[in-house]
Each structure stands twice: as structure tokens, then as C-alpha cells.
Amino acid sequence: MALSVNADGEIKELVATGKFPQFDVVGDESDHHYFHGNKSVKENGVKDPDCFSIASSEVHKKIMKEWRVLERNLPDSIYVRVYERRIDLLRAAIVGPAGTPYHDGLFFFDLAFPSDYPTRPPQVTYRSFGIRLNPNLYASGFVCLSLLNTWFGKAKEKWNPAESTVLQVLVSIQGLVLNREPYFNEPSIGHFPGQGRKSTAYSEKAFVMSCKTMVYLLRNPPKNFEDLVAWHFRERAQHIFAACNAYMEGRVKVGCYPETGLVSPSSRVHVSSNFKAMMKSWYPEMAVAFGITGASIGNFAEEVVVESNTSCFSGVGAKKEELATSSEADTGAMNKKIKLGIRKVIRKLKNVLGLKKVGEKESGGIKLNLAG
């Protein structure tokens, strides 16, 4: 059921369209980051428990205005859910922009309005799964952005109670944070000779981290966004895997796979062996996770099985590097543990495909579908 808010702040039901709505009012906020933490207390410590519940309060009116702005003006690549019982909370899903290392990814942010809003900006945390994939998005979920007053940017870049909006926050995250060269988001880094190689290396890592985030989201989607997560990755699966192949084969620079999917056959760029190893180690995980959505990815999944069975788990090196700081001192034991884990994923992938032996396939490609 889709809900909307009218000019008077009244919630109304919309006719179902079959498409995941850009904006909706929902009822279950139990997994929201600020579910327990957001308090109705002003910055000076004065309690104001009714500011969110009384429709005549200035804070309530301002939040309702924000709802209307979001409902009418959200771009197609941003989805928002607000809460009927907790108007102080909001959750947004941002689609990673094309032409960046974050393309086709989904990135979730939980927001909380302070009780003196809009005097102060909303609190924002990123659903990171413990991964840092951008200089502005920390593994802890901290979002570093001048508009949120979490970075000491220029005065014109900071939160302005008279003009700034949640929509500006979301669009800024999508356009300024999830950009083509995130390496240069660090203010101390300039465009100097030699920095291009470092930027490329950072983008490679960012893309791998984005792929990991996709897998984690499919395993544990945020409440009220389960349908979006499944639908989005089911629709984009072939494009994502085609991009992975193009990157690994050096046919296009990581993060620059075109939306059309058309890449010049003669184009060649350098791709680091570390990137290739990390991607190979995550291929089986991605194939299984995407398969559960019913994604049709052609012959790619079978290729994953073939390559993984014949490569002696060449991606183990990348896994081991990730776990280098683990408390396990015995490298041999760690290596064995990683291999066993990957073999388990390969067996699961074979079961998903229904392959009795490598080489069997359906005509027209393989369709992964575990629904029902």
C-alpha cells in the first residue's frame, strides 16, 4: 500500500501502481538507526516532547513541508520512506550514478530530524555494513558533508535553516559524494602528477566494496525496502556482471562502464592484479545472491563455476589480504578456512543452477530463480 501526505499534513492512501513508489509513508520503523536514539530535546537541553506529535508545532509543519517537497521532486534514482508514527525519522535509498565506481549500487541512509528543526540539520547515518567505500562515508556510518555541518566547509556550503532541505542533502550525497573520482573527495588531496594512478586504485577498491554492499543488502535488506532491493538487482544484474567482466578484461576503466553497455572492442586499459583477484573471490557470492532474486544472467553463473573449479581459488589471495589483521596467527589455517568457505559457495551455486556437472546448461542461458 502506498501512502501520501497532502498540503494539510493528512496522510492518504494511493492506488497501487505496481511500481515501487519514490515516496511512501510506512508503519514499521523498528530497524531504523535512530529508533531509540532520537530524543525530543532541543540543543539547549530543554525538553519538547510534543514537537513531533502536535500538528500545530513549527517543527511538525516544517517536516510535513519536507515530505511534500520530497514526494513531488525526488529524482527517479532516489527513494524515500517516512514513518506514520515517527515523523522525526526518514530513510532514503540512493542509486549509484552511472559513470562512477558506484554505478548500479544501492546506498541507504537513515535520517533523524532534531526537535528544533530546521535550526539544525538532520542527523544522517549511512548503512555501511562495516565497509568504507568513500572518503565521506565511514565504516561506522558517519557521513562527512558540509551541508550536514559534519565538515568545516565554506559558509555557503553549510546548513542554512532558511533554505536547506532534506532533498538537497540527498542530491548532494548522490552527486558530490558518490562521484566519478572519489579519491579526490579528501580535501588534502589535489590533482598532482601521479595522483591519477592512486585515484584509479581507489576507484577499483570502491567498486569492489560496492559489489560487497550489494551482496550484504540482498542478504539483509532494510525494512520497507525489501521489494526495491530485490527488484533493482534483478533488473540490473546483467548490466552489473557485464561491467565486472569488462573491467577485469581491461576493456574499460573501472567505474566508467557506459549505461548503453557498448564498449569499443579495441579499447584497452590497465587493471591491477589485486582488483582481478578481489573480483574473482566475490563472483560466486554475487551470483548466488543475485540468483535468489530471480535474476537472469545468461551463461555468466556457469562460467563462475567453471573458472572457480579450475583456478585453484585464485581469489584466495584477496580474501586473505582482507583478513590480514585477523587475530588468527596461523596463515595456513586461515588459507584453508577461506578455501573451504569458497568451495561451500561454489556448491551452493551449483545447486542453484541445478548443474549435475559443469557444462550442462539450458538453452538461451541460465536463469537463477529460487522464488517459491
Side-chain angles (χ1 to χ4, degrees), residues 286-312:
M286 292 173 66
V288 170
F290 279 72
I292 293 173
T293 71
S296 177
I297 55 177
N299 295 330
F300 175 80
E302 183 184 354
E303 292 170 8
V304 171
V305 174
V306 174
E307 183 170 353
S308 298
N309 278 341
T310 59
S311 65
C312 296

Side-chain angles (χ1 to χ4, degrees), residues 29 34 41 67-68 87 117 120 124 136 156 190 194 202 225-226 245 283 287-288 291-292 313 315 335 356:
E29 68 278 4
Y34 297 104
V41 179
W67 284 19
R68 293 191 294 273
I87 71 164
Y117 188 78
R120 288 179 292 153
V124 182
N136 298 79
K156 63 180 181 180
Y202 192 97
F225 284 89
E226 296 90 345
N245 281 337
Y283 270 9
V288 170
I292 293 173
F313 305 100
N335 191 38
K356 295 181 180 178

Side-chain angles (χ1 to χ4, degrees), residues 251-271:
R251 290 186 283 118
V252 63
K253 184 179 178 181
V254 174
C256 298
Y257 189 76
E259 185 66 20
T260 61
L262 299 176
V263 179
S264 171
S266 60
S267 110
R268 285 292 178 270
V269 296
H270 173 74
V271 182

Side-chain angles (χ1 to χ4, degrees), residues 37-294:
N38 198 36
K39 305 295 182 182
S40 298
V41 179
K42 294 185 178 181
E43 192 171 20
N44 60 9
V46 177
K47 291 185 177 181
D48 188 9
D50 299 323
C51 65
F52 299 126
S53 59
I54 297 179
S56 60
S57 76
E58 290 304 313
V59 174
H60 191 286
K61 291 178 181 178
K62 179 60 177 176
I63 294 175
M64 289 299 105
K65 183 179 180 180
E66 291 278 12
W67 284 19
R68 293 191 294 273
V69 169
L70 290 167
E71 183 179 19
R72 296 167 183 170
N73 299 288
L74 279 172
D76 291 342
S77 52
I78 299 178
Y79 300 83
V80 167
R81 293 293 176 268
V82 294
Y83 302 93
E84 186 174 3
R85 293 187 299 267
R86 291 287 302 272
I87 71 164
D88 58 312
L89 305 182
L90 179 151
R91 173 170 288 162
I94 297 177
V95 179
T100 75
Y102 308 105
H103 67 80
D104 293 313
L106 277 179
F107 306 94
F108 284 85
F109 298 84
D110 282 0
L111 286 72
F113 293 100
S115 56
D116 57 353
Y117 188 78
T119 301
R120 288 179 292 153
Q123 293 177 278
V124 182
T125 191
Y126 166 57
R127 194 180 183 94
S128 71
F129 297 100
I131 296 172
R132 187 173 185 182
L133 46 65
N134 186 284
N136 298 79
L137 304 177
Y138 289 55
S140 64
F142 179 77
V143 178
C144 184
L145 189 67
S146 299
L147 187 56
L148 296 174
N149 293 345
T150 53
W151 175 251
F152 58 86
K154 299 176 183 177
K156 63 180 181 180
E157 299 171 344
K158 297 178 77 67
W159 181 264
N160 182 340
E163 299 178 358
S164 301
T165 66
V166 169
L167 179 61
Q168 289 177 343
V169 171
L170 300 179
V171 172
S172 294
I173 292 173
Q174 185 179 53
L176 300 179
V177 175
L178 301 173
N179 60 34
R180 181 168 186 168
E181 294 186 291
Y183 175 74
F184 295 105
N185 286 12
E186 288 285 4
S188 60
I189 296 176
H191 290 263
F192 303 115
Q195 296 291 66
R197 291 191 298 272
K198 293 180 180 179
S199 176
T200 297
Y202 192 97
S203 292
E204 290 179 348
K205 181 180 179 182
F207 180 74
V208 175
M209 296 300 106
S210 180
C211 289
K212 288 186 178 183
T213 301
M214 296 177 193
V215 173
Y216 295 151
L217 278 172
L218 284 165
R219 291 174 180 171
N220 185 26
K223 287 183 182 299
N224 306 300
F225 284 89
E226 296 90 345
D227 290 344
L228 173 66
V229 171
W231 171 82
H232 174 80
F233 290 119
R234 182 169 59 247
E235 293 293 310
R236 301 302 294 174
Q238 289 196 26
H239 192 268
I240 292 168
F241 284 124
C244 290
N245 281 337
Y247 293 154
M248 290 181 62
E249 293 169 4
R251 290 186 283 118
V252 63
K253 184 179 178 181
V254 174
C256 298
Y257 189 76
E259 185 66 20
T260 61
L262 299 176
V263 179
S264 171
S266 60
S267 110
R268 285 292 178 270
V269 296
H270 173 74
V271 182
S272 71
S273 58
N274 186 53
F275 172 78
K276 293 179 181 179
M278 287 192 293
M279 286 307 304
K280 284 183 179 180
S281 72
W282 272 90
Y283 270 9
E285 298 275 4
M286 292 173 66
V288 170
F290 279 72
I292 293 173
T293 71

